[in-house]
Amino acid sequence: GGRRFFERLTVGSNYPVFFERLADGSEREILDPNSWSEDGSVAPGEDEISPKGNYLAIAHSINDNDLQNWRVLDINTTEWLCDILPPTHHSSAVWLKDETGFYYERVDGDQQSIYFHRLHTNSEADEAIFIPEFGDETIYEVDISDDQQWLYILGEPLKGSNFIDVRAVDQPNAPFVRLVDVDVNDTNTYLIHGKGAEHILWTDRESPRGRLVKVSLGESNWTEFIPESVDVLNTATVICDRLICEYYN
């Protein structure tokens, strides 16, 4: 959204403070998590600023508990909204570009499910996007393509290879389908970027040092995008339509 945000950790503080860099170069404090408790027992967790920079979704935990609760801050007023989400476990907030809400992972019993939270509503009304079968010990995460066309569910089972399921955002009643068919003999494949009909994946299948491939929904063949090299391709990301790769040598 053209706004610039940063965090600063000062000597003697437990947690970094959120700031906005204004157009004239000055700074505006947005949120200081150190004020949540005198002894630092209430700690900030994952956070995600909305695409236009109007909201900050941020999790917090108490006494190093693995479970976290999410709240939403209005960045312009620095006031908390009424939105308080149920407990989550290492969740993320995946915003829609229009800032009307976000997808997240939350704990249902002993399982991790995917929900959508619409801003300014009670979390009891959150829409269940994906609920695993009873006894499923897979760790699930949610993501969305840059053009907001595709919704992804990323699964990491306790045994076997990870997988990526996908469905069109504008078809909420359609089932998720497997983007990449893997079996227990395969290694790891991770989503890097999705836009239009193509999805860019990182994989070490037949490439122990890693490579990037392109795949289209419904096609079993991969197209090599960035081949394996003598250096290890650790990860890649897309920033402002530019692909940035991180290598180890």
Side-chain angles (χ1 to χ4, degrees):
R3 302 175 72 170
R4 294 178 295 171
F5 301 96
F6 65 96
E7 300 174 48
R8 178 186 293 133
L9 179 62
T10 57
V11 176
S13 297
N14 291 308
Y15 310 113
V17 179
F18 291 80
F19 289 90
E20 179 179 11
R21 178 79 67 185
L22 302 179
D24 62 2
S26 61
E27 303 172 356
R28 181 174 74 95
E29 182 178 311
I30 297 170
L31 178 65
D32 181 4
N34 297 285
S35 65
W36 293 350
S37 60
E38 293 183 0
D39 58 358
S41 59
V42 182
E46 300 293 329
D47 61 77
E48 191 68 38
I49 294 177
S50 61
K52 299 177 183 178
N54 291 311
Y55 303 101
L56 169 65
I58 184 168
H60 72 271
S61 63
I62 301 176
N63 294 325
D64 295 324
N65 195 313
D66 285 341
L67 293 180
Q68 300 181 337
N69 287 90
W70 284 79
R71 298 192 67 182
V72 180
L73 183 78
D74 185 320
I75 289 177
N76 299 308
T77 65
T78 66
E79 298 289 337
W80 293 106
L81 303 185
C82 65
D83 309 61
I84 301 177
L85 273 59
T88 65
H89 183 74
H90 302 301
S91 179
S92 57
V94 179
W95 285 93
L96 294 181
K97 284 187 176 180
D98 62 6
E99 299 185 322
T100 56
F102 54 87
Y103 299 93
Y104 69 102
E105 306 94 21
R106 87 180 190 199
V107 177
D108 284 334
D110 294 328
Q111 297 171 301
Q112 196 165 6
S113 304
I114 308 297
Y115 281 79
F116 177 75
H117 175 73
R118 190 165 298 280
L119 220 56
H120 308 293
T121 65
N122 191 304
S123 62
E124 293 181 357
D126 288 357
E127 177 187 1
I129 303 299
F130 172 78
I131 298 179
E133 296 181 359
F134 179 77
D136 186 349
E137 296 181 329
T138 300
I139 298 174
Y140 291 99
E141 296 181 8
V142 63
D143 204 351
I144 198 168
S145 61
D146 284 4
D147 57 8
Q148 306 259 301
Q149 181 179 350
W150 303 104
L151 185 66
Y152 304 98
I153 290 181
L154 317 175
E156 289 200 23
L158 293 181
K159 297 181 180 179
S161 299
N162 66 308
F163 56 86
I164 304 170
D165 292 345
V166 62
R167 81 174 183 200
V169 173
D170 62 358
Q171 298 179 19
N173 296 321
F176 282 89
V177 298
R178 190 60 45 91
L179 176 62
V180 178
D181 283 324
V182 296
D183 57 46
V184 295
N185 295 317
D186 287 325
T187 47
N188 293 305
T189 300
Y190 298 108
L191 176 71
I192 298 298
H193 179 67
K195 189 174 184 180
E198 290 186 329
H199 312 269
I200 299 176
L201 311 175
W202 176 97
T203 184
D204 58 4
R205 177 195 289 183
E206 301 176 355
S207 51
R209 293 186 297 277
R211 60 181 171 135
L212 297 186
V213 297
K214 288 184 177 180
V215 62
S216 296
L217 189 62
E219 296 184 5
S220 58
N221 295 327
W222 296 2
T223 301
E224 191 155 68
F225 184 48
I226 295 182
E228 183 184 28
S229 72
V230 295
D231 296 323
V232 175
L233 176 56
N234 182 52
T235 188
T237 188
V238 173
I239 301 175
C240 297
D241 289 328
R242 301 184 70 177
L243 180 65
I244 311 296
C245 296
E246 177 185 291
Y247 284 93
Y248 292 158
N249 55 29

